[in-house]
Amino acid sequence: MKRVVIVGGGIAGMTVAKTLLEGKMQAEITVVNSAPHYFAGPSRPLLLTGEQSLDRIVRSYEEVARRGVKVMVGTVYSVDPANRKVRLVGGYASDGGVKELQYDYLVLAPGVVLDGSGITGYDKYRGNVLNVYDPGRVRTLKERVWKAEKGTVVVYAPKAPYRCAPAPTETATLIDAVLRHRGVRDKFRIIHIDANDKTQPPVIADVVAELYRKLGIELVVNQEIAEIGENYVVTKSGERYNYDILAMLEPNRTPKFIAEAGLGENWISVRGPQDLRHPKFDDVLAAGDAASLPFPKNQEIAFESALFAANKILEMEGLSHRASVQYAFLGWAYVGNPEGRLETLSVMFGLDFTTQPPKPTKDPQPKREYTQRKDSWEQSYLANLFGY
């Protein structure tokens, strides 16, 4: 029986496992995840307003195991593609320690690492760095936004690509909505510093710029944060911005074991968007945010790349099943609520990568319906992949 090891138990990793099962592949499928649960990404910003709760977006792996997938909790620290070995450490108390897994196929879907190591002062002041990506830090960000009476909020987006492109703009507009709801918005300055020439995703950058103008959110583009102090940040061009609350997304990269194994630098090298095999190894594939793809890093692309990866394994095994897939997505970006109601509105956007150049779509009119649609979309993914 073939052994498939999948590093990462998120949307991409679980999609690969599920698709291989649907394809009737006779294999021992092992998913290695660094945590005993999965924390869904798209609706995390709504934790700030209280419209989302952890119990709705956290899933464990019990139902996945019932399907015949072995889930191991541990941190992968080494991959040896020449000898088909994965090394990990950790796990539950009963089986913790160093382990080594052999594989016939390895699918790398570890997600991204938030890396602020290149920013002066980051190690010392990391405790000041909050965002909507980490469950602990989003909780602290929420507390500060709801308790502060005045001050300056700095929101930061690093150079693209990074996971969940609209998250920084969602953070800024949701903080604005909370402050309006509390009746203290006029006592705050909100500054969005962006390392890119426009907010992400570019297809709705004009919509965001106009919204920021109406909300009084200041936008500074083409500025990378180079230094963090106790109450200030400095950009590479020398501009200094004081902050009372810092909602900052660090630059994204893959875990270091990827580069150490020679599988890529910032991202895992692949042969192409539809052939997710590594250029040097037929039995090593990548999927999700960690793969080097010319697309945004979001849940839909993670799902689609995982289907392509699974299809390639099924093809190499001589099996006929193929999941239907193409790169095209429709998404929704939260834009807060200018009236200060905790009923978040969203705008719709999409990109169809089956045409060149990619065909964009968008509805610039914020709607409550789009927020509800995004919630239904996320919940359907969770139910499909995690069983509930």
Side-chain angles (χ1 to χ4, degrees):
M1 181 177 289
K2 294 293 177 69
R3 295 160 298 184
V4 179
V5 174
I6 301 170
V7 179
I11 293 297
M14 296 316 304
T15 296
V16 171
K18 186 171 186 290
T19 306
L20 294 181
L21 290 175
E22 291 171 345
K24 308 299 182 182
M25 182 175 175
Q26 298 300 307
E28 178 184 88
I29 301 173
T30 301
V31 174
V32 182
N33 200 56
S34 59
H37 58 268
Y38 171 69
F39 180 31
S43 66
R44 292 183 197 182
L46 291 186
L47 292 169
L48 294 176
T49 63
E51 295 172 87
Q52 188 55 283
S53 57
L54 289 177
D55 64 293
R56 296 190 71 246
I57 57 176
V58 172
R59 295 292 187 274
S60 61
Y61 293 94
E62 284 77 12
E63 294 302 320
V64 173
R66 295 179 195 277
R67 298 173 179 171
V69 176
K70 183 177 181 180
V71 180
M72 298 183 68
V73 178
T75 300
V76 172
Y77 67 89
S78 173
V79 171
D80 181 356
N83 294 298
R84 293 181 167 179
K85 294 181 179 180
V86 173
R87 298 180 181 91
L88 60 141
V89 64
Y92 294 107
S94 61
D95 63 359
V98 177
K99 300 180 180 67
E100 185 175 275
L101 300 177
Q102 291 278 163
Y103 64 82
D104 295 290
Y105 293 102
L106 173 63
V107 181
L108 296 168
V112 301
V113 172
L114 306 184
D115 184 5
S117 62
I119 301 173
T120 300
Y122 179 81
D123 287 344
K124 183 175 182 179
Y125 296 108
R126 184 188 179 279
N128 292 356
V129 178
L130 307 174
N131 60 46
V132 296
Y133 291 81
D134 177 86
R137 289 198 274 177
V138 69
R139 182 179 184 276
T140 302
L141 177 59
K142 177 182 178 180
E143 288 180 351
R144 293 186 184 178
V145 170
W146 277 89
K147 290 180 179 179
E149 294 300 326
K150 61 180 180 179
T152 299
V153 179
V154 170
V155 176
Y156 177 67
K159 281 283 188 182
Y162 58 82
R163 184 179 63 183
C164 300
T169 61
E170 292 177 326
T171 300
T173 55
L174 291 174
I175 289 175
D176 172 271
V178 170
L179 296 177
R180 290 178 188 276
H181 177 77
R182 295 180 55 219
V184 295
R185 176 64 178 91
D186 59 337
K187 298 179 182 179
F188 282 84
R189 183 183 181 192
I190 302 177
I191 307 170
H192 176 153
I193 302 173
D194 207 298
N196 304 282
D197 62 357
K198 59 183 67 175
T199 57
Q200 303 296 301
V203 65
I204 57 170
D206 58 336
V207 178
V208 170
E210 177 60 20
L211 181 66
Y212 276 14
R213 186 189 65 79
K214 292 180 179 178
L215 296 176
I217 298 174
E218 302 171 45
L219 177 61
V220 180
V221 297
N222 287 318
Q223 294 287 332
E224 290 186 65
I225 289 181
E227 178 184 350
I228 299 174
E230 185 174 5
N231 59 2
Y232 67 88
V233 294
V234 180
T235 67
K236 285 187 175 180
S237 64
E239 297 295 322
R240 175 178 170 135
Y241 298 88
N242 293 334
Y243 68 81
D244 296 282
I245 298 174
L246 178 60
M248 172 180 170
L249 174 61
E250 300 95 324
N252 288 193
R253 62 167 174 80
T254 55
K256 286 187 177 180
F257 71 81
I258 298 297
E260 292 170 350
L263 298 175
E265 290 302 322
N266 285 341
W267 311 110
I268 304 169
S269 300
V270 296
R271 300 182 188 186
Q274 297 184 10
D275 187 347
L276 280 298
R277 292 177 294 175
H278 189 271
K280 295 181 180 179
F281 303 100
D282 286 347
D283 52 6
V284 178
L285 301 91
D289 293 339
S292 180
L293 295 171
F295 309 131
K297 295 187 181 299
N298 61 37
Q299 181 166 303
E300 188 67 29
I301 293 297
F303 172 70
E304 291 165 354
S305 66
L307 292 177
F308 276 114
N311 281 349
K312 179 57 67 175
I313 293 174
L314 293 171
E315 176 188 327
M316 288 189 288
E317 284 296 295
L319 298 170
S320 61
H321 177 82
R322 297 291 183 276
S324 177
V325 57
Q326 62 182 10
Y327 285 113
F329 73 88
L330 194 65
W332 306 270
Y334 303 129
V335 294
N337 190 310
E339 297 180 4
R341 294 201 301 269
L342 301 184
E343 298 175 352
T344 294
L345 309 177
S346 300
V347 295
M348 182 271 289
F349 66 96
L351 281 171
D352 182 352
F353 293 99
T354 63
T355 64
Q356 290 300 325
K359 181 181 179 182
T361 58
K362 64 180 176 182
D363 179 358
Q365 182 62 43
K367 296 178 181 178
R368 178 66 177 166
E369 171 195 347
Y370 290 151
T371 301
Q372 296 164 337
R373 192 178 299 180
K374 184 172 181 176
D375 180 77
S376 297
W377 167 81
E378 182 180 51
Q379 290 296 314
S380 67
Y381 263 108
L382 294 174
N384 181 42
L385 296 178
F386 294 88
Y388 69 102

